[in-house]
Amino acid sequence: ESGSNGDFINQEALDSNLNILYSNYSSGSNFIVRMYGNLTAGTVTKTNIADPSVMDAEPSALTVSPYTLDQSNLFIGLKNGKVIKIAGTTNTFPNNPVWTDITGADFVGTVSDIELGENEDKIFVTMQNYGVQNIWYSSDAGTTWEAKEGNLPDLPVKAILQNPLRTEEVIIGTELGVWRTANFFDTNPTWIQSYNGMSNVKVTDLDLRDD
């Protein structure tokens, strides 16, 4: 790419099943996600994905569902607090993907992370602002949302990760290191710092090895 689209530290997500890379490709008031297809098949295709009626701000978080193998379901968090799902993308785009706004009624801030739990219905969303609810969870594909900040201090949250073997255990990356809870599904989870030797540093991403 020779243009200056996107952010300096840019948001991207890889669908390793279909070899598609999604990237924030916004410029000014043109809010775009660019899809790079056929990454391992020779000629890379480049397709812009945009719908101003739904995606009305710049993307701040991109996540691909690992649960769909024959198509690509993309979750997009925006800088105005919106969360969007685009279902049905393939390497032959355009193919009439379905856009769905699943934003919670009380979402405020900039979306910093979107993660999925045991299936695509269980969605974790974090915000990176002060003075707002920064942790949200939906068990019904975004129809309803629960705030899960509990006793967490007023901290921007940058990332979230669920323990797949003990689903009530969740860790978050914040402006003040890593925090954890062992009762995430309670109405008011109890969060404690989880340093284990780390310093009070900003943690912007969390990931888990496949093994």
Side-chain angles (χ1 to χ4, degrees):
E1 295 293 341
S2 60
S4 58
N5 299 52
D7 284 336
F8 180 69
I9 300 175
N10 206 36
Q11 303 79 14
E12 295 186 332
L14 177 68
D15 186 329
S16 55
N17 292 317
L18 295 179
N19 295 314
I20 297 172
L21 178 70
Y22 296 96
S23 177
N24 174 21
Y25 201 68
S26 300
S27 177
S29 60
N30 294 319
F31 307 122
I32 301 167
V33 171
R34 174 162 279 202
M35 183 184 82
Y36 298 89
N38 299 315
L39 295 181
T40 62
T43 302
V44 175
T45 61
K46 302 177 182 180
T47 306
N48 289 346
I49 304 173
D51 185 341
S53 66
V54 183
M55 193 164 66
D56 55 358
E58 189 173 354
S60 54
L62 301 173
T63 298
V64 174
S65 170
Y67 300 113
T68 51
L69 304 180
D70 58 342
Q71 66 181 32
S72 190
N73 289 350
L74 176 68
F75 292 82
I76 305 174
L78 304 183
K79 292 183 178 181
N80 64 359
K82 268 192 177 182
V83 177
I84 300 164
K85 178 181 177 181
I86 304 177
T89 303
T90 69
N91 273 300
T92 57
F93 189 95
N95 49 21
N96 298 316
V98 178
W99 292 68
T100 306
D101 185 345
I102 59 172
T103 308
D106 297 315
F107 282 16
V108 177
T110 297
V111 179
S112 55
D113 194 17
I114 304 170
E115 298 295 337
L116 300 180
E118 299 160 279
N119 53 56
E120 220 169 272
D121 289 342
K122 298 177 180 179
I123 309 171
F124 300 80
V125 170
T126 61
M127 304 286 182
Q128 52 182 354
N129 293 81
Y130 290 98
V132 302
Q133 289 286 340
N134 281 308
I135 307 171
W136 295 92
Y137 174 71
S138 175
S139 60
D140 53 13
T143 301
T144 61
W145 293 90
E146 301 173 65
K148 291 294 183 179
E149 200 154 298
N151 68 331
L152 186 73
D154 185 12
L155 290 171
V157 179
K158 304 290 186 178
I160 190 165
L161 187 65
Q162 183 184 40
N163 183 344
L165 303 180
R166 297 184 63 182
T167 56
E168 71 277 9
E169 292 185 348
V170 172
I171 60 174
I172 53 174
T174 77
E175 286 280 349
L176 197 66
V178 177
W179 293 64
R180 75 175 187 269
T181 181
N183 63 335
F184 183 82
F185 297 112
D186 286 4
T187 301
N188 292 295
T190 302
W191 296 93
I192 59 173
Q193 289 177 311
S194 187
Y195 281 73
N196 197 25
M198 282 184 59
S199 299
N200 288 328
V201 295
K202 181 192 299 184
V203 176
T204 60
D205 196 16
L206 298 166
D207 212 342
L208 185 71
R209 282 177 20 168
D210 290 346
D211 59 357

